[in-house]
Amino acid sequence: MRSTRSCGGGGASRSSLAGLMAALALAGCAAAAGGFVLAQDGNPESQARLVAARARLARVVYLGESHDNPAHHAHQARILQALLNAGARPALAFEMLTQDQQREVDEAMRQVDGAAALDARLRWRERGWLDFGMYQPVFELALRFRLPVIAADLDPGTVRRIAKDGLGVLPEAERAQLASRLRPDPEREARLEREIAEAHCGLLPAAAIPFMAQAWHARNVIMARRISQALEKGRRVVVIVGRGHLERGGLPDQLNALRPGTPQLVVEFVEAAADDSIPPPGSSQIRWLTSRVDRGDPCAALRKPR
């Protein structure tokens, strides 16, 4: 059995906070602290409205995906549509677009004839991202409602340099811009390094892992700075990002270090089977359960001799 109750999404059309709490109660969901879980078999349109209602309290809303899961992208578009229907006009920040692309992104959003053409204009597949079609509905909404699009991530060349040689290889001014603002936490860093090692199937040299952790932090710092710049212009921000960047010490924590007290909402799309135990979410978290994608053996490609 799951360790927390989940919401089916019934009766969620009201957008006020009072309406949200009533809808959650009708859905049989405990949400006293503001966090809740959305069931895999709920009505996705109603559930998206629940998320949008909760998002009224936030300046930044993270929609944390598994990049290759189509259900996650469909839910992102539903949530964005629900926010737009409620009158919000947020900026959209994408992990998949890097800061050095911003001019290119701005020109494409102004000049492109339809969202499908953005695949080539943004060099989406050329830069290694998965099927643009999964992201296309979100871009269609951005074009239709003329939402600003933020190219949020650190440029890949700098990421590679840090991952190879560490932050110390960068000039002092650049290093200062990318250094983590978080308080030292050895337990947090040890957990991050374990996750990096596991994600690479235990095949990384031990000496490489701390530098890769520095690169992960640097990416979160620059994304937090890009979001902060939009907030300074009075914009709310919806962030399309891999859910790994929402872990402890990740993007929300870096933004809070830059702008303490900024109201943030983390929406994680979590692949889960019916009998999985789902940890209870925090007060500013929503977990939306989805089916899993069959990825086969994720380590097979890494084990092949080069």
Side-chain angles (χ1 to χ4, degrees):
M1 296 295 292
R2 295 188 182 101
S3 61
T4 187
R5 299 169 72 184
S6 60
C7 306
S13 62
R14 287 163 288 187
S15 61
S16 68
L17 180 58
L20 168 65
M21 299 309 292
L24 291 172
L26 286 171
C29 178
F36 52 88
V37 176
L38 295 171
Q40 187 178 144
D41 58 354
N43 180 304
E45 305 302 332
S46 294
Q47 289 174 317
R49 291 194 291 271
L50 275 175
V51 176
R54 174 62 182 82
R56 287 176 56 126
L57 304 175
R59 298 299 301 164
V60 182
V61 179
Y62 303 95
L63 303 181
E65 65 184 49
S66 294
H67 299 311
D68 59 351
N69 191 318
H72 295 187
H73 299 288
H75 291 338
Q76 287 170 334
R78 290 185 180 103
I79 291 169
L80 180 57
Q81 182 69 73
L83 288 167
L84 294 166
N85 290 346
R89 294 295 182 268
L92 298 180
F94 285 85
E95 173 200 351
M96 303 80 202
L97 301 170
T98 56
Q99 58 176 347
D100 56 323
Q101 288 184 279
Q102 188 63 63
R103 182 176 296 180
E104 179 183 3
V105 170
D106 291 343
E107 290 178 358
M109 296 301 293
R110 283 195 303 268
Q111 300 173 10
V112 76
D113 182 18
L118 286 170
D119 190 351
R121 288 291 301 269
L122 300 177
R123 296 177 289 119
W124 194 270
R125 283 174 290 183
E126 176 187 331
R127 294 170 52 254
W129 287 103
L130 299 173
D131 180 13
F132 181 80
M134 292 191 292
Y135 295 85
Q136 185 172 325
V138 171
F139 279 103
E140 287 174 348
L141 291 171
L143 287 169
R144 188 189 318 162
F145 289 89
R146 299 186 178 183
L147 305 178
V149 171
I150 301 168
D153 204 0
L154 185 59
D155 67 274
T158 302
V159 173
R160 286 192 294 268
R161 291 174 68 197
I162 298 171
K164 182 175 182 290
D165 296 310
L167 270 172
V169 74
L170 301 180
E172 183 177 353
E174 188 175 358
R175 187 165 66 246
Q177 288 292 305
L178 297 177
S180 174
R181 298 301 191 267
L182 303 179
R183 293 179 179 178
D185 184 339
E187 190 277 333
R188 179 194 66 218
E189 295 307 302
R191 176 182 174 183
L192 171 60
E193 291 186 10
R194 285 195 303 272
E195 290 174 348
I196 289 172
E198 290 169 3
H200 291 81
C201 307
L203 300 174
L204 287 175
I209 295 174
F211 291 159
M212 295 189 73
Q214 288 181 16
W216 184 80
H217 280 305
R219 292 180 64 196
N220 291 324
V221 169
I222 200 64
M223 285 193 280
R225 287 188 177 279
R226 301 285 288 160
I227 293 166
S228 180
Q229 290 165 4
L231 293 173
E232 288 168 2
K233 297 176 182 177
R235 283 280 185 179
R236 295 171 68 189
V237 184
V238 171
V239 186
I240 306 297
V241 65
R243 61 184 293 257
H245 286 282
L246 306 179
E247 298 282 350
R248 178 181 167 192
L251 178 50
D253 287 342
Q254 294 289 359
L255 181 62
N256 191 60
L258 282 174
R259 296 176 62 95
T262 299
Q264 304 182 72
L265 176 65
V266 172
V267 183
E268 290 185 285
F269 303 106
V270 179
E271 296 181 345
D275 58 351
D276 282 351
S277 178
I278 306 302
S283 61
S284 58
Q285 288 182 306
I286 296 170
R287 293 199 174 101
W288 191 332
L289 308 185
T290 76
S291 59
R292 289 194 174 105
V293 169
D294 182 5
R295 301 178 177 89
D297 180 0
C299 296
L302 293 175
R303 293 195 191 102
K304 290 180 180 178
R306 297 182 183 276

